[in-house]
Amino acid sequence: MRKRYVSRRGAYDKQREKEREKEPTLPPRMQWTLDFLPLPPCPELRAQPLSGLLWALLVLFLWYCYRVGSDPSVTGRTHPGKLKSSCIRSSRMSRSSSCSSSSSDGIDTGSSVTKATMGNSGTPCITMEMGEEEEEEDTDVGRHRGYLTPVLSHTLFPVQAAPASKKLYSALQEYAKRYSWAGMGRIHKGLRDQARLSDRSSIQKPHLFFLPDVPSIPFFPRDAHRHDIEVLEANYPIILAEFQAVYQRGIDTKLGWTCQGPKGQAVFPLYNAGVCVAGNCRSCPCTYRTLLSLRTFISSNSLGAAGFWLLAPGATLGGGYGPTNTRLRCHLGLQTPPQCELVVGGEPQCWSEGHCLLVDDSFLHTVSHNGVAEDGPRVIFSVDLWHPNVAAAERQALDYIFCPEQ
């Protein structure tokens, strides 16, 4: 058996060798090397030619990124965190001239002096004050310059602006030094243009602060603040019951009421200029909790207010403008006789009990109650909400600028 197995194994091997001889022979596999490539040696890097090429491409890419980040932007389009070289040169010249004049007159150059320059249009302007850290960075030959320097730190502000605008401008400077200039472009522009806005005739002319580039219409749809409107309308019966309890005690300043404007108008405030009226809130606890549940209620600055507004029959409030266009006034109708009318920006509207109206009171508006004494007063619950197109960073800055005076 052993011999038979060996003979069969040998015959099988011979047959396999014959089959291999009949198969076509393939060329040997090529060994690829880098010797045939015309690359110069890289003795500096002490590496293979391909590695040297990769290093060169990496260095070129890093150099390109550096140039893109350090070159001045295209004319008319400035990076939000970068100063133009012309602004830097002008700020240096203004600082050097002020220092030379102060030293020649015998004034201490270390004291903070209001720097006055001339704008492009020839009108006198003042530049924003810089902190000590910013001045140290500015003297450092551009080492800490670039994206760390804010755009608005050298923006001009008109000297002929009203004292109120200058006070708001100083508050904006303090906010930017404490936090950031990011997102403050519209607020800065609004403060600069406030003087010109008050001089021109317009159907929308807020007397305190106008935020530019904010889409505005006299009456906003419910979708602008759907959540807050639904919360107010759902609590309409409770709010009405608490008002009636307060109204039955009488209208008296000692009971928390304030009389404004003509005879027949009275207000029971829960929030007045961003300050909570504690006694009135204790008289209306459910209404106070409803206010706190609103998402966009302005409760942290002097632009916001909330309370019950009462208008007696025969009373009319003449045309006026609200303080700002950064808010919307929400009116929840509590008692609305049929002869009451609200005209905002030339568009008339009527209140409805249990329903809300979103009004931009920065437009010219009038309120009238042409009913008889039997109709009773018109009563609404008014709440100031943020304008939906005011960003979160701008809301935080406005809370700081218009912080209520305690």
Side-chain angles (χ1 to χ4, degrees):
M1 294 296 294
R2 178 73 175 176
K3 294 180 180 180
R4 187 181 300 174
Y5 173 77
V6 172
S7 61
R8 290 182 180 178
R9 183 67 178 177
Y12 176 76
D13 292 340
K14 291 179 180 180
Q15 185 178 357
R16 289 291 297 171
E17 290 178 0
K18 292 180 181 180
E19 292 178 356
R20 288 176 183 175
E21 291 176 358
K22 294 180 181 179
E23 293 180 355
T25 58
L26 296 176
R29 185 174 298 177
M30 298 181 64
Q31 300 293 332
W32 293 92
T33 63
L34 298 177
D35 298 335
F36 67 92
L37 294 177
L39 295 177
C42 301
E44 294 83 0
L45 298 176
R46 297 180 180 180
Q48 294 295 330
L50 184 58
S51 301
L53 179 62
L54 295 177
W55 275 104
L57 292 177
L58 178 61
V59 172
L60 289 176
F61 176 73
L62 295 177
W63 177 82
Y64 172 76
C65 295
Y66 170 77
R67 293 293 299 174
V68 170
S70 60
D71 285 345
S73 304
V74 184
T75 303
R77 295 180 61 186
T78 306
H79 193 277
K82 186 177 178 182
L83 270 176
K84 291 185 178 180
S85 58
S86 61
C87 296
I88 300 172
R89 289 195 296 269
S90 63
S91 63
R92 284 181 177 176
M93 294 174 63
S94 62
R95 256 200 317 278
S96 60
S97 61
S98 63
C99 292
S100 60
S101 62
S102 61
S103 60
S104 62
D105 295 339
I107 302 175
D108 185 12
T109 58
S111 60
S112 59
V113 183
T114 304
K115 297 180 267 297
T117 59
M118 298 296 293
N120 296 332
S121 59
T123 58
C125 301
I126 60 175
T127 60
M128 296 177 60
E129 298 178 358
M130 297 179 61
E132 296 179 357
E133 297 178 357
E134 294 178 356
E135 292 180 355
E136 292 176 358
E137 291 180 0
D138 188 54
T139 58
D140 196 4
V141 198
R143 184 172 61 185
H144 296 290
R145 205 182 306 280
Y147 295 101
L148 299 180
T149 307
V151 174
L152 301 176
S153 61
H154 298 278
T155 309
L156 303 180
F157 190 78
V159 175
Q160 67 273 17
S165 298
K166 293 181 180 179
K167 184 178 179 181
L168 297 178
Y169 184 73
S170 300
L172 177 63
Q173 285 182 293
E174 295 176 0
Y175 173 84
K177 290 178 181 179
R178 179 173 297 184
Y179 299 101
S180 172
W181 279 106
M184 299 297 105
R186 292 198 301 180
I187 296 180
H188 188 272
K189 181 180 178 182
L191 292 176
R192 285 188 289 125
D193 299 342
Q194 185 65 32
R196 288 182 292 178
L197 178 68
S198 58
D199 295 337
R200 67 184 180 92
S201 60
S202 174
I203 197 172
Q204 184 186 23
K205 190 168 60 176
H207 58 79
L208 183 59
F209 175 68
F210 178 79
L211 186 65
D213 304 328
V214 173
S216 298
I217 52 177
F219 295 96
F220 274 72
R222 295 169 55 90
D223 293 338
H225 289 298
R226 177 173 293 276
H227 173 269
D228 292 348
I229 287 179
E230 291 178 351
V231 170
L232 289 172
E233 292 179 351
N235 291 274
Y236 160 73
I238 300 176
I239 296 174
L240 177 60
E242 290 187 341
F243 164 75
Q244 291 175 348
V246 171
Y247 181 69
Q248 289 174 0
R249 292 185 300 180
I251 300 177
D252 192 351
T253 55
K254 297 180 181 179
L255 299 176
W257 290 85
T258 58
C259 298
Q260 299 179 354
K263 185 178 180 180
Q265 182 188 15
V267 181
F268 187 80
L270 301 183
Y271 273 82
N272 186 16
V275 179
C276 177
V277 184
N280 294 353
C281 290
R282 281 193 292 266
S283 300
C284 306
C286 295
T287 305
Y288 173 69
R289 286 194 292 268
T290 301
L291 281 177
L292 297 182
S293 65
L294 302 180
R295 296 176 179 174
T296 58
F297 172 50
I298 304 177
S299 60
S300 302
N301 64 58
S302 58
L303 303 177
F308 300 101
W309 291 67
L310 185 147
L311 188 65
T316 300
L317 302 181
Y321 299 92
T324 180
N325 67 328
T326 60
R327 75 179 189 186
L328 297 181
R329 182 153 278 185
C330 181
H331 290 177
L332 173 64
L334 299 181
Q335 295 179 9
T336 57
Q339 298 298 324
C340 297
E341 188 179 44
L342 170 65
V343 181
V344 181
E347 299 182 13
Q349 280 284 356
C350 295
W351 295 276
S352 177
E353 295 181 358
H355 297 280
C356 292
L357 276 180
L358 280 178
V359 182
D360 187 349
D361 65 339
S362 63
F363 286 86
L364 181 66
H365 60 276
T366 59
V367 182
S368 61
H369 184 356
N370 300 321
V372 296
E374 290 76 10
D375 294 335
R378 180 231 60 180
V379 182
I380 60 171
F381 181 61
S382 177
V383 183
D384 290 335
L385 308 176
W386 282 110
H387 193 288
N389 293 98
V390 178
E394 294 172 329
R395 297 179 184 182
Q396 181 179 355
L398 292 175
D399 284 341
Y400 185 89
I401 296 171
F402 295 98
C403 179
E405 299 178 359
Q406 300 294 340

